[in-house]
Amino acid sequence: MWRSRPEGLIRDGVDRGEFRTSDSYVTIIQILVVIDGLGAHANTDTGDRPEAVTRMAVSTAERELGLESGTLMDHAGALGVSRTVVRRAPGTDDTTAAGPGD
């Protein structure tokens, strides 16, 4: 499910002409590998992260889906999604916010 659901979304996007990829399975694996790698990197690196690194998952997805650079962030902005991520621990009022570059 963790791979087949997003792969289906990619296939749907290709069918609608929104994405361009010849192999949705390979595309989702590439995107997921970058996300996993960034997770590992975040847990081992305490230094500053260059913008190219913080955008790596988005830029990989844009490239592999045949989208112009900035398309996904522009779409997120149009939906009212900010770069700040707030997570609430279950059963608590504690939140942590990730600022730009986090």
Side-chain angles (χ1 to χ4, degrees):
M1 185 81 128
W2 63 274
R3 190 172 41 209
S4 62
R5 186 172 182 192
E7 180 190 2
L9 293 172
I10 292 171
R11 275 195 316 269
D12 291 346
V14 170
D15 291 345
R16 287 191 302 269
E18 296 169 351
F19 303 144
R20 291 178 304 282
T21 181
S22 61
D23 191 332
S24 59
Y25 180 73
V26 170
T27 297
I28 194 56
I29 290 174
Q30 289 175 318
I31 293 168
L32 291 172
V33 165
V34 169
I35 292 169
D36 286 346
L38 287 170
H41 175 70
N43 289 321
T44 59
D45 182 22
T46 59
D48 291 330
R49 291 178 182 88
E51 181 70 16
V53 173
T54 62
R55 284 191 38 82
M56 192 176 292
V58 173
S59 59
T60 298
E62 288 170 338
R63 182 183 65 245
E64 296 305 317
L65 296 171
L67 301 172
E68 289 186 36
S69 179
T71 299
L72 293 177
M73 291 306 294
D74 290 346
H75 186 67
L79 293 173
V81 177
S82 72
R83 289 187 64 181
T84 301
V85 177
V86 178
R87 294 184 189 133
R88 186 174 304 262
T92 70
D93 289 332
D94 296 330
T95 60
T96 56
D102 285 349

